Amino acid sequence: MTRIDRITTEIIDLPTIRGHVLSMATMTVQSIVLVRIRFSDGSEGLGEGTSIGGLSYGTESPESIKAAIDSYIAPALQGSDGDNISAARRLIEKSVRGNPIARAAVEMALWDGLGRRLGVSVAQLFGGAVTDGIELAWTLASGNSERDIEEAEEMLAARRHRQFKLKIGKRALKDDLAHVGRIAAALGDRARLTVDVNQAWDLQTARIGLRGLEEIGVAMAEQPIDGRFRDQLKSLTDGSSIAVMADEALNGPVDALRHAADRAADAFAVKVAQSGGLAPAAEVIAIAQAAGIGLYGGTMLESGVATAAALQLFCTVERWDWGCELFGPLLFTDEILVKPLEVRDFRILLPEGPGIGVTLDEEKAAYYRRGRPGPAAAGIVAE
Ligand code: MUC
Ligand code: MG
């Protein structure tokens, strides 16, 4: 038996290439929690737990993710069988309720460790990859229409992205619609546009907003209203000709089943972190597929570690109706992987190699580690 010897965590603060303006927060730094598991045979597994905008997006912060792992998950798993991920998941679930991102980060490191020990990829552990990459969307969220248009033109010219998600909901509806309209007019048929409201609208605003977005030619609207109001989301889905996607509403298979049973959304943003891990995310995918709900590979704006892990799972699925948004590493000024994930011809490619298929650049990780002396870390966030 390969025992779990030691689980350690660290917060890494990565500056973003520009302010990322969301309805609830503007991000200039992304704080990720790296998890390392050391096993009794000397092997290691790497995982990541990341949220967005401190506590403004969801109920977990980088600090709470780290604390949940250090104080509760690590002691619960200490000495247990590292090869039995089902049993480890049960141990975690018994000691920690909620906290899906913390649970996902540790589960990810377990899959990575198992894959490395067996010499196979995590995709292989989930049945095998059926594609080598997925269409990759980019989020335009500078807060300025002209700058967003310039950014989109650069991405199109570089053949990096041709699907753009616009973050709206912070401004008055008419200003948001004018912003979306300007970008749609500039890009025309060369790009597919979606919006993400991050729960900012009430039902009435959402009804009017979706009609306005439809007139502009937007293809899909993500989480227009509070994720707790499934019945309201359903009424918007039923009444709208553009697709409505659930994101914050989905915290694993139970939420997915309820939304699928009610047909409350046309599409699911599948997020490994929000689902509580790769295995429960696979269940969310299965529920969507069984219900005929469209799939979109979501992100928590993670580094290459969690991005690679998500790719491992997502590439076991052939059809991603709305592509994916696994662009997190491209939003940061620096890369913490030895070899960055590859993006080519509008697709992000599945890395090769055992486990999640990537190697951490230890020097970079140390440079951005919170609490370490050094110019970058000192200038970003104080612990
Ligand atoms: C979200 O709400 O989907 C994903 C992409 C992005 O720009 O923000 C995130 C969060
Ligand atoms: Mg979203």
Side-chain angles (χ1 to χ4, degrees):
M1 181 164 85
T2 312
R3 262 184 250 287
I4 295 173
D5 263 0
R6 204 167 125 77
I7 301 181
T8 55
T9 59
E10 58 206 275
I11 298 178
I12 310 278
D13 293 310
L14 296 170
T16 60
I17 52 172
R18 53 154 169 73
H20 201 60
V21 184
L22 317 176
S23 69
M24 66 293 177
T26 296
M27 297 168 60
T28 55
V29 170
Q30 176 61 310
S31 301
I32 69 162
V33 181
L34 277 186
V35 180
R36 298 168 200 261
I37 304 185
R38 177 126 181 126
F39 300 90
S40 55
D41 64 351
S43 62
E44 286 185 347
L46 189 62
E48 175 186 344
T50 297
S51 189
I52 295 163
L55 279 170
S56 64
Y57 173 90
T59 56
E60 289 174 278
S61 68
E63 298 77 15
S64 81
I65 293 164
K66 187 177 188 316
I69 297 170
D70 293 348
S71 304
Y72 298 96
I73 300 178
L77 292 183
Q78 181 74 41
S80 64
D81 184 356
D83 290 333
N84 191 337
I85 298 180
S86 309
R89 285 184 61 206
R90 274 195 51 222
L91 283 173
I92 296 172
E93 278 159 16
K94 266 172 73 179
S95 51
V96 176
R97 285 191 175 270
N99 294 276
I101 305 178
R103 287 191 276 112
V106 175
E107 190 237 30
M108 195 181 290
L110 289 169
W111 286 113
D112 184 47
L114 181 59
R116 283 178 199 280
R117 283 194 296 286
L118 296 174
V120 300
S121 68
V122 170
Q124 195 73 56
L125 297 176
F126 278 87
V130 291
T131 179
D132 65 354
I134 304 173
E135 175 98 17
L136 182 64
W138 176 253
T139 297
L140 298 171
S142 72
N144 174 283
S145 313
E146 297 315 313
R147 185 144 179 225
D148 281 357
I149 292 167
E150 255 172 54
E151 206 172 285
E153 291 291 2
E154 281 167 26
M155 302 302 177
L156 284 166
R159 297 182 65 78
R160 223 179 76 175
H161 312 276
R162 59 186 170 190
Q163 178 171 318
F164 299 103
K165 160 160 141 173
L166 279 44
K167 287 288 191 176
I168 60 171
K170 187 177 175 178
R171 294 175 275 215
L173 178 60
K174 73 171 188 2
D175 297 331
D176 265 343
L177 290 177
H179 166 72
V180 178
R182 280 194 289 275
I183 295 174
L187 301 182
D189 291 340
R190 293 178 297 141
R192 176 157 82 168
L193 293 189
T194 70
V195 299
D196 189 354
V197 192
N198 283 116
Q199 316 186 82
W201 289 342
D202 58 28
L203 182 59
Q204 179 73 24
T205 309
R207 281 200 200 104
I208 301 166
L210 290 183
R211 222 172 305 132
L213 292 170
E214 182 192 337
E215 276 164 26
I216 293 168
V218 168
M220 187 250 282
E222 179 174 338
Q223 203 65 62
I225 54 161
D226 190 320
R228 292 170 300 177
F229 302 149
R230 190 169 73 250
D231 52 345
Q232 295 188 9
L233 193 69
K234 177 177 169 46
S235 81
L236 289 173
T237 301
D238 287 344
S240 163
S241 62
I242 73 169
V244 172
M245 183 155 79
D247 176 9
E248 284 91 331
L250 301 176
N251 280 280
V254 174
D255 291 328
L257 183 62
R258 291 195 176 130
H259 280 73
D262 291 353
R263 196 73 191 44
D266 298 302
F268 285 176
V270 182
K271 292 183 171 174
V272 171
Q274 224 163 258
S275 300
L278 290 158
E283 293 167 3
V284 170
I285 291 169
I287 290 166
Q289 287 172 322
I293 286 173
L295 286 175
Y296 181 63
T299 182
M300 295 294 262
L301 300 174
E302 293 135 325
S303 84
V305 175
T307 302
L311 261 176
Q312 293 287 340
L313 174 68
F314 293 172
C315 285
T316 66
V317 174
E318 199 175 358
R319 186 173 156 163
W320 289 88
D321 311 75
W322 296 94
C324 77
E325 57 180 18
L326 296 176
F327 64 80
L330 299 169
L331 190 64
F332 310 136
T333 55
D334 211 347
E335 173 61 69
I336 61 164
L337 296 183
V338 169
K339 185 168 176 276
L341 292 165
E342 214 179 316
V343 179
R344 202 190 310 142
D345 279 334
F346 308 110
R347 296 166 83 238
I348 182 160
L349 304 182
L350 178 66
E352 283 175 12
I356 59 173
V358 295
T359 308
L360 193 66
D361 182 329
E362 292 292 349
E363 273 183 29
K364 289 281 184 63
Y367 183 75
Y368 292 105
R369 186 172 301 145
R370 188 177 294 185
R372 281 288 170 108
I380 302 162
V381 186
E383 200 164 25

